[in-house]
Amino acid sequence: MSTPDAPVRLESVRKVYGSGDSAVTALDGVTVDFPAGSFTAVMGPSGSGKSTLLHCAAGLDQPTSGSVTLVGNELVGKGETELTLLRRKHIAFIFQSFNLMPALNVWENVTLPTVLAEQKPDEQWVAKVIELVGLGDRVKHRPGELSGGQQQRVAIARALVSRARVTFADEPTGALDTQTAADVLALVRELAKAGQTVVMVTHDPVAASYADNVLFLVDGQIVSRLAEPTPEAVAAALAGLSSRAGKPDGLVQGRR
Ligand code: ADP
């Protein structure tokens, strides 16, 4: 279904790495909308194109052909300076490696995107968000003084504070224990409830079940989708992926 005002849209996106005999088609004609306030998990076997999809959607990588729009801005063909400004304005990232600045404390890390965008942080909102992610007593700590779960909470607080229209998450819970991962995923879901568009790459059916929708990639193509996923339905869909590869899109209903 096409959503003209979706903050993130990919149309016929192809990405080929290399050339000649060594060319690898990482994305093979991907068309997808990520509507406002939606939380989508992207799944698929290793090498199916998940990271490439995320990187192209976020303007971190340029497709070979096709169109990517971010909040109405065409990203394909734009220069690095313009892309950096658009990312800064519209996108928050939550990656497995946290991407925090080691020399800055929690408050400074959380407000950095706002400061870089030359805006004044809303201090009450910042304090509320840091409290919400459970770091109220760690405001002056640097990342090196925090656990992995706490560092990921800083990245989520940073996404909330930035009020970015879009959050891209790449295996955000890959390095976390089960309980911390559940807490972090519940917070990521809050980002979408607050109106952000969240796109999360994961290989974990439990993590994916926090999303509203799951897209399954095989060989650079979206081969199926699952709405209202449960961990069981996601695991079953993953197990059936190889047999679906190459077949047209299917829409499967999961959670009731
Ligand atoms: P996934 O995230 O699903 O594991 P990727 O998007 O990382 O998949 O990769 C998709 C395909 O593109 C793989 O075959 C991978 O080897 C290839 N690929 C990814 N990045 C590069 C690159 N920088 N140079 C060459 N090939 C790449």
Side-chain angles (χ1 to χ4, degrees):
M1 194 169 48
S2 178
T3 320
D5 57 351
V8 184
R9 310 189 70 189
L10 280 73
E11 209 178 314
S12 307
V13 170
R14 272 174 63 75
K15 175 70 182 178
V16 182
Y17 289 108
S19 59
D21 285 350
S22 61
V24 174
T25 304
L27 293 177
D28 191 9
V30 169
T31 296
V32 63
D33 289 348
F34 298 101
S38 62
F39 180 6
T40 307
V42 179
M43 302 192 86
S46 180
S48 58
K50 303 181 294 295
S51 303
T52 305
L53 172 66
L54 195 81
H55 289 161
C56 287
L60 292 167
D61 204 349
Q62 286 281 348
T64 307
S65 61
S67 156
V68 178
T69 45
L70 174 70
V71 193
N73 300 280
E74 175 62 61
L75 299 186
V76 178
K78 283 230 164 41
E80 198 44 52
T81 310
E82 241 177 315
L83 288 173
T84 302
L85 290 174
L86 283 168
R87 282 197 297 268
R88 213 174 260 172
K89 189 165 175 200
H90 296 299
I91 300 180
F93 290 99
I94 307 174
F95 284 176
Q96 191 174 343
S97 54
F98 313 126
N99 290 58
L100 303 177
M101 302 295 280
L104 303 183
N105 68 30
V106 168
W107 181 283
E108 291 161 344
N109 263 290
V110 164
T111 54
L112 186 62
T114 316
V115 171
L116 286 175
E118 294 177 2
Q119 286 162 11
K120 202 173 146 12
D122 174 346
E123 295 198 353
Q124 274 189 336
W125 171 237
V126 177
K128 192 174 162 185
V129 167
I130 292 177
E131 198 65 43
L132 179 73
V133 300
L135 293 174
D137 56 352
R138 296 283 192 281
V139 171
K140 298 277 190 220
H141 286 58
R142 294 205 168 85
E145 300 162 330
L146 301 172
S147 71
Q150 288 170 333
Q151 291 185 50
Q152 200 56 300
R153 286 157 195 263
V154 177
I156 290 173
R158 186 178 56 189
L160 270 168
V161 160
S162 73
R163 293 192 165 114
R165 295 278 299 275
V166 183
T167 292
F168 289 106
D170 194 357
E171 297 285 4
T173 54
L176 307 180
D177 66 76
T178 310
Q179 183 54 52
T180 309
D183 294 345
V184 162
L185 288 163
L187 287 169
V188 171
R189 191 158 59 189
E190 289 305 312
L191 293 173
K193 282 200 187 136
Q196 292 195 12
T197 301
V198 183
V199 182
M200 173 178 77
V201 167
T202 183
H203 66 270
D204 175 7
V206 174
S209 72
Y210 282 77
D212 320 314
N213 278 284
V214 186
L215 294 182
F216 295 95
L217 280 178
V218 174
D219 295 340
Q221 296 186 336
I222 296 173
V223 294
S224 66
R225 297 157 182 269
L226 183 66
E228 302 187 358
T230 60
E232 297 74 24
V234 173
L238 275 177
L241 274 188
S242 50
S243 58
R244 296 180 79 99
K247 292 185 184 163
D249 273 19
L251 180 64
V252 197
Q253 193 71 23
R255 195 162 61 206
R256 303 258 159 225

